Amino acid sequence: MNSKLEKKENNIEKSFFSIFITTFTTIFIAELGDKTQIATLMLSAESGKPIIVFLGSSLALISSSIVGVLIGKWVSKKISPSKFALSTGALMIIISIFLAYETFKNYF
């Protein structure tokens, strides 16, 4: 009986760390070099107050992440994971086509 409890705790722990590491890595890589990081860099350089800029930008990222998590939680109750993956994939393709068109329309 004790071994079942240990296995369950290990699975929960692995699940927590797996989700945490995946989330951290994905968001960290996605945010590198994006407009938010560049804006933070400029604000820090202009203000000369990097700690205040760090606190403000951290709070902003946490706030926007909370919105994403809450909306994701709500959507997960309304749509199956496979339908959600399909619809977000389709949305990304549509956005990519639109952005590509906007980028290259002057060359046509």
Side-chain angles (χ1 to χ4, degrees), residues 67-88:
V67 170
V69 166
L70 293 176
I71 292 172
K73 177 91 171 149
W74 177 78
V75 167
S76 73
K77 293 178 180 179
K78 305 289 182 191
I79 302 173
S80 71
S82 60
K83 285 183 182 178
F84 183 71
L86 180 65
S87 60
T88 55

Side-chain angles (χ1 to χ4, degrees), residues 41-100:
L41 183 142
M42 290 182 354
L43 288 167
S44 180
E46 287 177 3
S47 70
K49 308 273 186 189
I51 300 298
I52 296 172
V53 171
F54 171 76
L55 293 173
S57 64
S58 297
L59 185 58
L61 184 58
I62 289 169
S63 299
S64 66
S65 295
I66 287 171
V67 170
V69 166
L70 293 176
I71 292 172
K73 177 91 171 149
W74 177 78
V75 167
S76 73
K77 293 178 180 179
K78 305 289 182 191
I79 302 173
S80 71
S82 60
K83 285 183 182 178
F84 183 71
L86 180 65
S87 60
T88 55
L91 182 61
M92 290 296 209
I93 290 170
I94 291 167
I95 291 170
S96 298
I97 291 169
F98 175 76
L99 290 174

